[in-house]
């Protein structure tokens, strides 16, 4: 198993979803079945970075089909990762759309009559 210092790829400030996607692309191009990601030199991470990182690389059925291990995560990183895991595990409510009636009007007069009828 190869260990990769994430700061060598993305720098010490992990701020955006795009950075997480870039890292996933990097790992995909490396074509590894198992990798250890080292966070020892990371100064800060945002929740949005960690959410994308989790969704792409750590969640079951990740896009790489690889075993990703994490090491040397500071407290901030662990807090964000645990928060993302908890939110991701919650069932998402179905969005119910109201029964909407579409009106197909051909002329301004039809529009005027329609608007007058809903007053």
């Amino acid at each position: 198993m190869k260990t990769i210092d994430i700061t060598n790829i993305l720098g010490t400030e992990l701020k955006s979803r795009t950075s997480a996607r870039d890292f996933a692309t990097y790992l995909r191009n490396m074509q590894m079945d198992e990798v250890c990601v080292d966070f020892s030199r990371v100064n800060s991470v945002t929740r949005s970075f960690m959410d994308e990182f989790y969704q792409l690389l750590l969640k079951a059925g990740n896009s790489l089909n690889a075993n990703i291990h994490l090491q040397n995560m500071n407290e901030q990183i662990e807090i964000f990762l645990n928060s993302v895991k908890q939110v991701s595990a919650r069932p998402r409510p179905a969005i119910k759309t109201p029964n909407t009636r579409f009106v197909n009007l051909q002329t301004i007069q039809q529009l005027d009559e329609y608007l007058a009828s809903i007053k």
Side-chain angles (χ1 to χ4, degrees):
M1 171 172 50
K2 182 174 180 167
T3 299
I4 296 175
D5 180 347
I6 194 168
T7 62
N8 288 338
I9 312 303
L10 300 177
T12 60
E13 311 290 325
L14 307 177
K15 297 181 181 182
S16 69
R17 292 180 183 277
T18 304
S19 294
R21 286 185 217 121
D22 290 345
F23 190 69
T25 300
Y26 171 81
L27 292 179
R28 189 174 298 111
N29 290 338
M30 297 292 288
Q31 298 179 350
M32 292 181 278
D33 294 333
E34 192 167 19
V35 64
C36 183
V37 180
D38 184 2
F39 284 83
S40 60
R41 295 182 9 190
V42 172
N43 291 335
S44 67
V45 63
T46 63
R47 190 183 183 292
S48 61
F49 171 87
M50 190 52 67
D51 181 59
E52 194 75 8
F53 184 87
Y54 176 76
Q55 297 299 326
L56 291 174
L57 302 173
L58 302 177
K59 192 174 181 179
N62 67 61
S63 65
L64 299 179
N65 294 318
N67 291 321
I68 310 287
H69 305 278
L70 308 177
Q71 71 180 22
N72 301 320
M73 294 188 309
N74 65 32
E75 184 179 3
Q76 176 197 26
I77 296 169
E78 288 185 11
I79 288 170
F80 281 139
L81 179 58
N82 290 333
S83 173
V84 165
K85 283 180 184 178
Q86 288 175 357
V87 170
S88 181
R90 287 188 214 152
R92 300 201 186 264
I95 298 173
K96 295 181 180 177
T97 57
N99 288 337
T100 305
R101 189 176 119 205
F102 290 95
V103 179
N104 187 12
L105 305 171
Q106 303 295 321
T107 66
I108 296 294
Q109 181 179 351
Q110 289 175 343
L111 174 61
D112 188 45
E113 291 169 1
Y114 175 74
L115 291 175
S117 72
I118 60 173
K119 288 184 184 178

